[in-house]
Amino acid sequence: MAEGAEVEIRYGLRPPDGLRAECIHRGHYYPVCAPGYRATLETLAEHPLFHCTNLLGNWSQWAEEQALDWTDPPVTYATTFSVTMAIAASGGGLALAHDLIAKHLIEEGRLTAPFEYRAQMPEAYYLILSPEGEQSEPARRFVSWLKDEMAVDDQRAG
Protein backbone atom coordinates (compact mmCIF):
# COMPACT_ATOMS: atom_id res chain seq x y z
CA MET A 1 0.00 0.00 0.00
CA ALA A 2 1.06 3.57 -0.47
CA GLU A 3 2.65 4.98 2.66
CA GLY A 4 0.01 6.29 5.02
CA ALA A 5 -2.92 5.05 2.96
CA GLU A 6 -5.74 3.34 4.80
CA VAL A 7 -7.72 2.48 1.66
CA GLU A 8 -6.60 1.92 -1.92
CA ILE A 9 -8.38 0.98 -5.11
CA ARG A 10 -6.12 -0.85 -7.54
CA TYR A 11 -6.80 -1.98 -11.06
CA GLY A 12 -5.09 -5.15 -12.22
CA LEU A 13 -5.28 -8.83 -13.07
CA ARG A 14 -5.29 -10.02 -9.48
CA PRO A 15 -5.04 -8.55 -6.03
CA PRO A 16 -1.56 -7.78 -4.77
CA ASP A 17 0.08 -10.55 -2.76
CA GLY A 18 0.19 -10.08 0.97
CA LEU A 19 -2.63 -7.53 1.12
CA ARG A 20 -6.25 -8.06 2.06
CA ALA A 21 -8.08 -7.22 -1.14
CA GLU A 22 -11.64 -7.54 -2.33
CA CYS A 23 -12.76 -7.45 -5.96
CA ILE A 24 -15.33 -4.67 -6.19
CA HIS A 25 -15.85 -4.60 -9.96
CA ARG A 26 -14.91 -6.73 -12.95
CA GLY A 27 -16.46 -4.96 -15.87
CA HIS A 28 -16.84 -5.25 -19.59
CA TYR A 29 -15.40 -3.40 -22.55
CA TYR A 30 -16.90 -2.60 -25.94
CA PRO A 31 -16.73 -0.07 -28.79
CA VAL A 32 -18.34 3.33 -28.42
CA CYS A 33 -18.76 6.24 -30.80
CA ALA A 34 -20.68 9.47 -31.24
CA PRO A 35 -24.43 9.17 -31.78
CA GLY A 36 -25.03 9.06 -35.51
CA TYR A 37 -21.56 7.71 -36.31
CA ARG A 38 -22.01 4.91 -38.83
CA ALA A 39 -20.03 1.70 -38.45
CA THR A 40 -20.92 -1.93 -38.90
CA LEU A 41 -19.08 -5.06 -37.83
CA GLU A 42 -18.15 -5.58 -41.48
CA THR A 43 -16.62 -2.10 -41.84
CA LEU A 44 -15.21 -1.72 -38.34
CA ALA A 45 -11.57 -2.22 -39.38
CA GLU A 46 -11.91 0.63 -41.91
CA HIS A 47 -12.64 3.22 -39.20
CA PRO A 48 -10.23 5.09 -36.93
CA LEU A 49 -9.90 2.99 -33.78
CA PHE A 50 -8.74 4.26 -30.40
CA HIS A 51 -7.81 2.58 -27.16
CA CYS A 52 -5.90 3.09 -23.91
CA THR A 53 -2.43 1.71 -23.48
CA ASN A 54 -1.59 -1.04 -21.00
CA LEU A 55 -5.01 -2.71 -20.94
CA LEU A 56 -5.29 -6.39 -21.74
CA GLY A 57 -8.75 -6.26 -23.28
CA ASN A 58 -8.10 -4.81 -26.73
CA TRP A 59 -9.53 -4.43 -30.23
CA SER A 60 -8.02 -7.68 -31.51
CA GLN A 61 -9.40 -9.62 -28.57
CA TRP A 62 -12.86 -8.04 -28.91
CA ALA A 63 -12.92 -8.74 -32.67
CA GLU A 64 -11.76 -12.32 -32.18
CA GLU A 65 -14.57 -12.95 -29.69
CA GLN A 66 -16.97 -11.62 -32.34
CA ALA A 67 -15.49 -14.02 -34.94
CA LEU A 68 -14.64 -11.08 -37.18
CA ASP A 69 -12.27 -11.48 -40.12
CA TRP A 70 -9.75 -9.15 -38.50
CA THR A 71 -6.51 -8.16 -40.17
CA ASP A 72 -5.20 -6.25 -37.16
CA PRO A 73 -5.96 -2.70 -38.34
CA PRO A 74 -3.99 0.17 -36.87
CA VAL A 75 -5.14 1.41 -33.50
CA THR A 76 -4.20 4.77 -32.01
CA TYR A 77 -3.39 4.55 -28.31
CA ALA A 78 -3.79 7.19 -25.64
CA THR A 79 -2.74 7.12 -22.02
CA THR A 80 -6.20 7.86 -20.57
CA PHE A 81 -9.82 6.99 -21.23
CA SER A 82 -10.70 10.68 -21.15
CA VAL A 83 -8.76 11.20 -24.37
CA THR A 84 -10.25 8.21 -26.20
CA MET A 85 -13.79 9.01 -25.02
CA ALA A 86 -13.43 12.64 -26.15
CA ILE A 87 -12.27 11.53 -29.60
CA ALA A 88 -15.16 9.09 -29.93
CA ALA A 89 -17.72 11.64 -28.67
CA SER A 90 -16.50 14.20 -31.21
CA GLY A 91 -17.04 11.77 -34.12
CA GLY A 92 -13.37 10.96 -34.65
CA GLY A 93 -13.88 7.19 -34.74
CA LEU A 94 -14.55 4.36 -32.35
CA ALA A 95 -12.96 3.80 -28.98
CA LEU A 96 -12.95 0.77 -26.72
CA ALA A 97 -14.64 1.73 -23.50
CA HIS A 98 -14.79 0.29 -20.02
CA ASP A 99 -18.38 0.16 -18.80
CA LEU A 100 -17.71 2.12 -15.60
CA ILE A 101 -16.24 4.93 -17.66
CA ALA A 102 -18.62 4.99 -20.61
CA LYS A 103 -21.92 4.21 -18.91
CA HIS A 104 -22.66 7.79 -17.84
CA LEU A 105 -21.54 9.22 -21.20
CA ILE A 106 -23.95 6.84 -22.92
CA GLU A 107 -26.76 7.77 -20.51
CA GLU A 108 -26.10 11.47 -21.24
CA GLY A 109 -26.31 10.82 -25.00
CA ARG A 110 -22.70 11.84 -25.64
CA LEU A 111 -21.70 8.32 -26.72
CA THR A 112 -23.45 5.27 -28.07
CA ALA A 113 -22.50 1.61 -28.13
CA PRO A 114 -23.19 0.51 -31.72
CA PHE A 115 -22.73 -3.24 -31.08
CA GLU A 116 -24.37 -5.39 -28.43
CA TYR A 117 -21.43 -7.61 -27.54
CA ARG A 118 -19.62 -6.85 -24.28
CA ALA A 119 -16.31 -8.59 -23.55
CA GLN A 120 -15.30 -9.45 -20.00
CA MET A 121 -12.34 -7.36 -18.88
CA PRO A 122 -9.33 -9.41 -17.79
CA GLU A 123 -8.52 -6.82 -15.13
CA ALA A 124 -10.67 -5.84 -12.16
CA TYR A 125 -10.89 -3.15 -9.50
CA TYR A 126 -9.67 -4.27 -6.08
CA LEU A 127 -10.39 -2.56 -2.79
CA ILE A 128 -7.54 -2.82 -0.29
CA LEU A 129 -7.95 -1.88 3.34
CA SER A 130 -4.80 -1.60 5.45
CA PRO A 131 -4.70 -2.93 9.03
CA GLU A 132 -4.90 0.71 10.16
CA GLY A 133 -7.87 1.24 7.85
CA GLU A 134 -9.70 -1.68 9.41
CA GLN A 135 -9.52 0.19 12.72
CA SER A 136 -10.37 3.61 11.24
CA GLU A 137 -14.01 4.67 11.39
CA PRO A 138 -13.63 7.14 8.45
CA ALA A 139 -11.99 4.43 6.31
CA ARG A 140 -14.72 1.92 7.17
CA ARG A 141 -17.41 4.53 6.34
CA PHE A 142 -15.72 5.26 3.02
CA VAL A 143 -15.57 1.54 2.17
CA SER A 144 -19.23 1.12 3.09
CA TRP A 145 -20.22 4.12 0.96
CA LEU A 146 -18.14 2.86 -1.98
CA LYS A 147 -19.70 -0.60 -1.86
CA ASP A 148 -23.18 0.94 -1.70
CA GLU A 149 -22.41 3.11 -4.75
CA MET A 150 -21.03 0.13 -6.67
CA ALA A 151 -24.18 -1.87 -5.83
CA VAL A 152 -26.39 0.96 -7.14
CA ASP A 153 -24.36 1.11 -10.36
CA ASP A 154 -24.56 -2.67 -10.75
CA GLN A 155 -28.35 -2.58 -10.29
CA ARG A 156 -28.71 0.20 -12.88
CA ALA A 157 -26.54 -1.73 -15.36
CA GLY A 158 -28.32 -5.05 -14.73
Side-chain angles (χ1 to χ4, degrees), residues 46-95:
E46 300 167 13
H47 293 269
L49 304 175
F50 300 90
H51 191 42
C52 286
T53 58
N54 299 320
L55 298 175
L56 297 178
N58 57 46
W59 277 106
S60 294
Q61 181 78 28
W62 188 88
E64 182 179 319
E65 291 180 23
Q66 287 287 278
L68 297 179
D69 183 18
W70 198 256
T71 57
D72 206 19
V75 174
T76 302
Y77 290 91
T79 57
T80 66
F81 273 114
S82 60
V83 171
T84 60
M85 297 300 100
I87 293 168
S90 69
L94 294 108

Short mmCIF file of all heavy atoms in Angstrom, two decimals, residues 46-95:
data_model
loop_
_atom_site.label_atom_id
_atom_site.label_comp_id
_atom_site.label_asym_id
_atom_site.label_seq_id
_atom_site.Cartn_x
_atom_site.Cartn_y
_atom_site.Cartn_z
N GLU A 46 -12.17 -0.49 -41.01
CA GLU A 46 -11.91 0.63 -41.91
C GLU A 46 -12.01 1.98 -41.20
O GLU A 46 -11.69 3.01 -41.79
CB GLU A 46 -12.91 0.60 -43.07
CG GLU A 46 -12.83 -0.67 -43.89
CD GLU A 46 -14.02 -0.84 -44.83
OE1 GLU A 46 -14.79 0.12 -45.04
OE2 GLU A 46 -14.18 -1.96 -45.35
N HIS A 47 -12.44 1.99 -39.95
CA HIS A 47 -12.64 3.22 -39.20
C HIS A 47 -11.44 3.52 -38.30
O HIS A 47 -10.71 2.60 -37.92
CB HIS A 47 -13.90 3.11 -38.33
CG HIS A 47 -15.16 3.04 -39.13
ND1 HIS A 47 -15.87 4.16 -39.49
CD2 HIS A 47 -15.81 1.98 -39.66
CE1 HIS A 47 -16.93 3.79 -40.19
NE2 HIS A 47 -16.92 2.48 -40.32
N PRO A 48 -11.26 4.78 -37.94
CA PRO A 48 -10.23 5.09 -36.93
C PRO A 48 -10.61 4.44 -35.60
O PRO A 48 -11.74 4.56 -35.13
CB PRO A 48 -10.27 6.62 -36.82
CG PRO A 48 -10.95 7.10 -38.06
CD PRO A 48 -11.89 6.00 -38.47
N LEU A 49 -9.67 3.71 -35.03
CA LEU A 49 -9.90 2.99 -33.78
C LEU A 49 -8.96 3.52 -32.71
O LEU A 49 -7.78 3.75 -32.96
CB LEU A 49 -9.66 1.49 -33.98
CG LEU A 49 -10.47 0.82 -35.09
CD1 LEU A 49 -10.05 -0.63 -35.25
CD2 LEU A 49 -11.96 0.93 -34.82
N PHE A 50 -9.50 3.70 -31.51
CA PHE A 50 -8.74 4.26 -30.40
C PHE A 50 -8.86 3.37 -29.18
O PHE A 50 -9.88 2.71 -28.99
CB PHE A 50 -9.25 5.68 -30.07
CG PHE A 50 -9.11 6.61 -31.23
CD1 PHE A 50 -10.13 6.76 -32.15
CD2 PHE A 50 -7.94 7.33 -31.41
CE1 PHE A 50 -9.99 7.60 -33.24
CE2 PHE A 50 -7.79 8.18 -32.50
CZ PHE A 50 -8.82 8.31 -33.42
N HIS A 51 -7.81 3.39 -28.37
CA HIS A 51 -7.81 2.58 -27.16
C HIS A 51 -6.76 3.11 -26.19
O HIS A 51 -5.86 3.86 -26.58
CB HIS A 51 -7.51 1.12 -27.51
CG HIS A 51 -7.74 0.16 -26.39
ND1 HIS A 51 -8.80 0.22 -25.55
CD2 HIS A 51 -7.01 -0.91 -25.98
CE1 HIS A 51 -8.73 -0.76 -24.67
NE2 HIS A 51 -7.65 -1.46 -24.91
N CYS A 52 -6.88 2.71 -24.94
CA CYS A 52 -5.90 3.09 -23.91
C CYS A 52 -4.76 2.09 -23.87
O CYS A 52 -4.96 0.89 -24.07
CB CYS A 52 -6.56 3.13 -22.54
SG CYS A 52 -7.62 4.54 -22.32
N THR A 53 -3.60 2.59 -23.60
CA THR A 53 -2.43 1.71 -23.48
C THR A 53 -2.52 0.89 -22.20
O THR A 53 -3.24 1.23 -21.27
CB THR A 53 -1.13 2.54 -23.44
OG1 THR A 53 -1.21 3.45 -22.34
CG2 THR A 53 -0.92 3.30 -24.72
N ASN A 54 -1.78 -0.20 -22.19
CA ASN A 54 -1.59 -1.04 -21.00
C ASN A 54 -2.84 -1.73 -20.48
O ASN A 54 -2.93 -2.07 -19.31
CB ASN A 54 -0.93 -0.25 -19.87
CG ASN A 54 0.44 0.25 -20.27
OD1 ASN A 54 1.19 -0.45 -20.93
ND2 ASN A 54 0.75 1.47 -19.89
N LEU A 55 -3.84 -1.93 -21.33
CA LEU A 55 -5.01 -2.71 -20.94
C LEU A 55 -5.01 -4.01 -21.74
O LEU A 55 -4.70 -4.02 -22.93
CB LEU A 55 -6.30 -1.93 -21.21
CG LEU A 55 -6.44 -0.62 -20.42
CD1 LEU A 55 -7.68 0.13 -20.86
CD2 LEU A 55 -6.48 -0.89 -18.93
N LEU A 56 -5.36 -5.09 -21.07
CA LEU A 56 -5.29 -6.39 -21.74
C LEU A 56 -6.45 -6.62 -22.70
O LEU A 56 -6.28 -7.24 -23.74
CB LEU A 56 -5.21 -7.50 -20.70
CG LEU A 56 -3.97 -7.45 -19.82
CD1 LEU A 56 -4.00 -8.56 -18.80
CD2 LEU A 56 -2.71 -7.54 -20.67
N GLY A 57 -7.63 -6.17 -22.35
CA GLY A 57 -8.75 -6.26 -23.28
C GLY A 57 -8.53 -5.25 -24.39
O GLY A 57 -8.40 -4.06 -24.13
N ASN A 58 -8.45 -5.72 -25.64
CA ASN A 58 -8.10 -4.81 -26.73
C ASN A 58 -8.96 -5.08 -27.96
O ASN A 58 -9.81 -5.97 -27.96
CB ASN A 58 -6.60 -4.93 -27.05
CG ASN A 58 -6.22 -6.35 -27.40
OD1 ASN A 58 -6.89 -7.02 -28.17
ND2 ASN A 58 -5.14 -6.84 -26.81
N TRP A 59 -8.74 -4.30 -29.00
CA TRP A 59 -9.53 -4.43 -30.23
C TRP A 59 -9.41 -5.82 -30.83
O TRP A 59 -10.40 -6.41 -31.25
CB TRP A 59 -9.10 -3.37 -31.25
CG TRP A 59 -9.73 -2.04 -31.03
CD1 TRP A 59 -9.11 -0.93 -30.51
CD2 TRP A 59 -11.08 -1.67 -31.29
NE1 TRP A 59 -10.02 0.11 -30.45
CE2 TRP A 59 -11.23 -0.31 -30.93
CE3 TRP A 59 -12.18 -2.34 -31.80
CZ2 TRP A 59 -12.43 0.37 -31.05
CZ3 TRP A 59 -13.38 -1.67 -31.93
CH2 TRP A 59 -13.50 -0.32 -31.56
N SER A 60 -8.21 -6.35 -30.91
CA SER A 60 -8.02 -7.68 -31.51
C SER A 60 -8.78 -8.73 -30.72
O SER A 60 -9.43 -9.61 -31.31
CB SER A 60 -6.54 -8.03 -31.58
OG SER A 60 -5.88 -7.17 -32.47
N GLN A 61 -8.70 -8.66 -29.42
CA GLN A 61 -9.40 -9.62 -28.57
C GLN A 61 -10.91 -9.50 -28.76
O GLN A 61 -11.62 -10.48 -28.89
CB GLN A 61 -9.03 -9.38 -27.10
CG GLN A 61 -9.67 -10.32 -26.13
CD GLN A 61 -8.99 -11.66 -26.09
OE1 GLN A 61 -7.81 -11.76 -26.36
NE2 GLN A 61 -9.74 -12.69 -25.78
N TRP A 62 -11.42 -8.27 -28.74
CA TRP A 62 -12.86 -8.04 -28.91
C TRP A 62 -13.32 -8.58 -30.26
O TRP A 62 -14.33 -9.26 -30.35
CB TRP A 62 -13.17 -6.55 -28.76
CG TRP A 62 -14.64 -6.27 -28.73
CD1 TRP A 62 -15.44 -6.25 -27.63
CD2 TRP A 62 -15.49 -5.98 -29.85
NE1 TRP A 62 -16.74 -5.98 -27.99
CE2 TRP A 62 -16.79 -5.80 -29.35
CE3 TRP A 62 -15.27 -5.85 -31.22
CZ2 TRP A 62 -17.87 -5.50 -30.17
CZ3 TRP A 62 -16.35 -5.56 -32.04
CH2 TRP A 62 -17.63 -5.38 -31.52
N ALA A 63 -12.57 -8.28 -31.32
CA ALA A 63 -12.92 -8.74 -32.67
C ALA A 63 -12.87 -10.26 -32.76
O ALA A 63 -13.74 -10.88 -33.39
CB ALA A 63 -11.99 -8.11 -33.70
N GLU A 64 -11.87 -10.86 -32.15
CA GLU A 64 -11.76 -12.32 -32.18
C GLU A 64 -12.97 -12.97 -31.50
O GLU A 64 -13.51 -13.95 -32.00
CB GLU A 64 -10.47 -12.75 -31.46
CG GLU A 64 -10.25 -14.24 -31.47
CD GLU A 64 -8.95 -14.61 -30.77
OE1 GLU A 64 -7.95 -13.91 -30.97
OE2 GLU A 64 -8.97 -15.61 -30.03
N GLU A 65 -13.40 -12.41 -30.39
CA GLU A 65 -14.57 -12.95 -29.69
C GLU A 65 -15.85 -12.76 -30.50
O GLU A 65 -16.83 -13.46 -30.26
CB GLU A 65 -14.69 -12.32 -28.30
CG GLU A 65 -13.58 -12.77 -27.38
CD GLU A 65 -13.69 -12.16 -25.99
OE1 GLU A 65 -14.79 -11.75 -25.57
OE2 GLU A 65 -12.65 -12.11 -25.30
N GLN A 66 -15.84 -11.84 -31.45
CA GLN A 66 -16.97 -11.62 -32.34
C GLN A 66 -16.86 -12.44 -33.63
O GLN A 66 -17.71 -12.34 -34.49
CB GLN A 66 -17.05 -10.14 -32.73
CG GLN A 66 -17.53 -9.26 -31.62
CD GLN A 66 -19.00 -9.46 -31.41
OE1 GLN A 66 -19.82 -8.88 -32.12
NE2 GLN A 66 -19.38 -10.30 -30.47
N ALA A 67 -15.77 -13.21 -33.75
CA ALA A 67 -15.49 -14.02 -34.94
C ALA A 67 -15.40 -13.16 -36.19
O ALA A 67 -15.84 -13.55 -37.27
CB ALA A 67 -16.53 -15.13 -35.10
N LEU A 68 -14.82 -11.97 -36.04
CA LEU A 68 -14.64 -11.08 -37.18
C LEU A 68 -13.40 -11.48 -37.97
O LEU A 68 -12.41 -11.95 -37.40
CB LEU A 68 -14.48 -9.63 -36.72
CG LEU A 68 -15.67 -9.01 -36.00
CD1 LEU A 68 -15.35 -7.58 -35.59
CD2 LEU A 68 -16.92 -9.06 -36.86
N ASP A 69 -13.45 -11.28 -39.27
CA ASP A 69 -12.27 -11.48 -40.12
C ASP A 69 -11.40 -10.24 -39.93
O ASP A 69 -11.56 -9.24 -40.61
CB ASP A 69 -12.69 -11.65 -41.58
CG ASP A 69 -11.52 -11.94 -42.48
OD1 ASP A 69 -10.45 -12.34 -41.96
OD2 ASP A 69 -11.65 -11.74 -43.69
N TRP A 70 -10.50 -10.31 -38.98
CA TRP A 70 -9.75 -9.15 -38.50
C TRP A 70 -8.33 -9.23 -39.01
O TRP A 70 -7.64 -10.21 -38.79
CB TRP A 70 -9.78 -9.19 -36.98
CG TRP A 70 -9.43 -7.91 -36.31
CD1 TRP A 70 -8.26 -7.63 -35.71
CD2 TRP A 70 -10.25 -6.77 -36.14
NE1 TRP A 70 -8.30 -6.37 -35.16
CE2 TRP A 70 -9.51 -5.83 -35.41
CE3 TRP A 70 -11.53 -6.43 -36.55
CZ2 TRP A 70 -10.01 -4.58 -35.07
CZ3 TRP A 70 -12.03 -5.21 -36.21
CH2 TRP A 70 -11.28 -4.29 -35.49
N THR A 71 -7.87 -8.18 -39.65
CA THR A 71 -6.51 -8.16 -40.17
C THR A 71 -5.61 -7.25 -39.35
O THR A 71 -4.64 -6.71 -39.86
CB THR A 71 -6.50 -7.71 -41.65
OG1 THR A 71 -7.13 -6.43 -41.73
CG2 THR A 71 -7.24 -8.71 -42.52
N ASP A 72 -5.98 -7.07 -38.08
CA ASP A 72 -5.20 -6.25 -37.16
C ASP A 72 -5.00 -4.83 -37.68
O ASP A 72 -3.87 -4.40 -37.93
CB ASP A 72 -3.87 -6.93 -36.86
CG ASP A 72 -3.31 -6.51 -35.51
OD1 ASP A 72 -4.10 -6.02 -34.68
OD2 ASP A 72 -2.11 -6.67 -35.30
N PRO A 73 -6.08 -4.08 -37.84
CA PRO A 73 -5.96 -2.70 -38.34
C PRO A 73 -5.22 -1.83 -37.33
O PRO A 73 -5.11 -2.18 -36.16
CB PRO A 73 -7.42 -2.25 -38.48
CG PRO A 73 -8.15 -3.07 -37.50
CD PRO A 73 -7.45 -4.40 -37.45
N PRO A 74 -4.72 -0.70 -37.79
CA PRO A 74 -3.99 0.17 -36.87
C PRO A 74 -4.92 0.77 -35.80
O PRO A 74 -6.07 1.12 -36.09
CB PRO A 74 -3.43 1.26 -37.77
CG PRO A 74 -4.22 1.19 -39.03
CD PRO A 74 -4.77 -0.20 -39.14
N VAL A 75 -4.41 0.83 -34.62
CA VAL A 75 -5.14 1.41 -33.50
C VAL A 75 -4.28 2.54 -32.94
O VAL A 75 -3.07 2.39 -32.78
CB VAL A 75 -5.40 0.35 -32.40
CG1 VAL A 75 -6.03 0.98 -31.16
CG2 VAL A 75 -6.27 -0.78 -32.93
N THR A 76 -4.89 3.66 -32.64
CA THR A 76 -4.20 4.77 -32.01
C THR A 76 -4.41 4.66 -30.51
O THR A 76 -5.55 4.53 -30.05
CB THR A 76 -4.73 6.11 -32.53
OG1 THR A 76 -4.56 6.16 -33.94
CG2 THR A 76 -4.00 7.28 -31.87
N TYR A 77 -3.32 4.71 -29.76
CA TYR A 77 -3.39 4.55 -28.31
C TYR A 77 -3.21 5.88 -27.61
O TYR A 77 -2.45 6.73 -28.06
CB TYR A 77 -2.30 3.57 -27.83
CG TYR A 77 -2.60 2.16 -28.25
CD1 TYR A 77 -2.11 1.66 -29.45
CD2 TYR A 77 -3.39 1.33 -27.47
CE1 TYR A 77 -2.39 0.36 -29.85
CE2 TYR A 77 -3.68 0.04 -27.86
CZ TYR A 77 -3.17 -0.44 -29.05
OH TYR A 77 -3.46 -1.72 -29.45
N ALA A 78 -3.93 6.03 -26.52
CA ALA A 78 -3.79 7.19 -25.64
C ALA A 78 -3.51 6.67 -24.23
O ALA A 78 -3.73 5.50 -23.94
CB ALA A 78 -5.07 8.02 -25.66
N THR A 79 -3.07 7.55 -23.38
CA THR A 79 -2.74 7.12 -22.02
C THR A 79 -3.92 7.15 -21.07
O THR A 79 -3.85 6.60 -19.98
CB THR A 79 -1.61 7.98 -21.43
OG1 THR A 79 -2.02 9.34 -21.46
CG2 THR A 79 -0.31 7.79 -22.19
N THR A 80 -5.03 7.79 -21.46
CA THR A 80 -6.20 7.86 -20.57
C THR A 80 -7.49 7.62 -21.36
O THR A 80 -7.57 7.91 -22.56
CB THR A 80 -6.31 9.22 -19.87
OG1 THR A 80 -6.58 10.23 -20.86
CG2 THR A 80 -5.05 9.57 -19.09
N PHE A 81 -8.49 7.14 -20.63
CA PHE A 81 -9.82 6.99 -21.23
C PHE A 81 -10.42 8.34 -21.59
O PHE A 81 -11.19 8.44 -22.54
CB PHE A 81 -10.77 6.25 -20.28
CG PHE A 81 -10.70 4.76 -20.39
CD1 PHE A 81 -10.24 4.01 -19.34
CD2 PHE A 81 -11.13 4.11 -21.54
CE1 PHE A 81 -10.20 2.63 -19.42
CE2 PHE A 81 -11.08 2.73 -21.63
CZ PHE A 81 -10.61 1.99 -20.57
N SER A 82 -10.10 9.39 -20.85
CA SER A 82 -10.70 10.68 -21.15
C SER A 82 -10.35 11.13 -22.56
O SER A 82 -11.18 11.73 -23.25
CB SER A 82 -10.30 11.73 -20.12
OG SER A 82 -8.90 11.92 -20.10
N VAL A 83 -9.15 10.83 -23.01
CA VAL A 83 -8.76 11.20 -24.37
C VAL A 83 -9.54 10.37 -25.40
O VAL A 83 -10.11 10.91 -26.34
CB VAL A 83 -7.23 11.02 -24.57
CG1 VAL A 83 -6.84 11.19 -26.03
CG2 VAL A 83 -6.47 12.00 -23.69
N THR A 84 -9.57 9.06 -25.21
CA THR A 84 -10.25 8.21 -26.20
C THR A 84 -11.76 8.46 -26.22
O THR A 84 -12.37 8.47 -27.29
CB THR A 84 -9.95 6.71 -25.96
OG1 THR A 84 -10.40 6.33 -24.66
CG2 THR A 84 -8.48 6.42 -26.11
N MET A 85 -12.35 8.73 -25.06
CA MET A 85 -13.79 9.01 -25.02
C MET A 85 -14.10 10.34 -25.70
O MET A 85 -15.09 10.48 -26.40
CB MET A 85 -14.31 9.02 -23.58
CG MET A 85 -14.20 7.70 -22.83
SD MET A 85 -15.09 6.31 -23.56
CE MET A 85 -13.74 5.48 -24.38
N ALA A 86 -13.23 11.33 -25.51
CA ALA A 86 -13.43 12.64 -26.15
C ALA A 86 -13.34 12.51 -27.67
O ALA A 86 -14.14 13.12 -28.39
CB ALA A 86 -12.41 13.65 -25.64
N ILE A 87 -12.40 11.73 -28.15
CA ILE A 87 -12.27 11.53 -29.60
C ILE A 87 -13.52 10.86 -30.15
O ILE A 87 -14.09 11.28 -31.16
CB ILE A 87 -11.01 10.72 -29.94
CG1 ILE A 87 -9.75 11.53 -29.61
CG2 ILE A 87 -11.01 10.29 -31.41
CD1 ILE A 87 -8.47 10.71 -29.64
N ALA A 88 -13.96 9.80 -29.47
CA ALA A 88 -15.16 9.09 -29.93
C ALA A 88 -16.38 10.00 -29.89
O ALA A 88 -17.16 10.04 -30.84
CB ALA A 88 -15.38 7.84 -29.08
N ALA A 89 -16.55 10.76 -28.81
CA ALA A 89 -17.72 11.64 -28.67
C ALA A 89 -17.73 12.74 -29.72
O ALA A 89 -18.80 13.21 -30.12
CB ALA A 89 -17.75 12.25 -27.27
N SER A 90 -16.56 13.13 -30.21
CA SER A 90 -16.50 14.20 -31.21
C SER A 90 -16.67 13.66 -32.64
O SER A 90 -16.61 14.43 -33.59
CB SER A 90 -15.19 14.96 -31.10
OG SER A 90 -14.10 14.14 -31.50
N GLY A 91 -16.85 12.35 -32.78
CA GLY A 91 -17.04 11.77 -34.12
C GLY A 91 -15.76 11.37 -34.80
O GLY A 91 -15.75 11.10 -36.00
N GLY A 92 -14.66 11.28 -34.06
CA GLY A 92 -13.37 10.96 -34.65
C GLY A 92 -13.12 9.49 -34.92
O GLY A 92 -12.09 9.13 -35.46
N GLY A 93 -14.04 8.63 -34.53
CA GLY A 93 -13.88 7.19 -34.74
C GLY A 93 -14.51 6.43 -33.60
O GLY A 93 -15.40 6.93 -32.92
N LEU A 94 -14.04 5.22 -33.41
CA LEU A 94 -14.55 4.36 -32.35
C LEU A 94 -13.47 4.11 -31.31
O LEU A 94 -12.30 3.97 -31.65
CB LEU A 94 -15.01 3.01 -32.93
CG LEU A 94 -16.21 3.10 -33.86
CD1 LEU A 94 -15.77 2.88 -35.28
CD2 LEU A 94 -17.26 2.10 -33.46
N ALA A 95 -13.89 4.07 -30.07
CA ALA A 95 -12.96 3.80 -28.98
C ALA A 95 -13.47 2.61 -28.19
O ALA A 95 -14.68 2.40 -28.07
CB ALA A 95 -12.84 5.01 -28.06
#
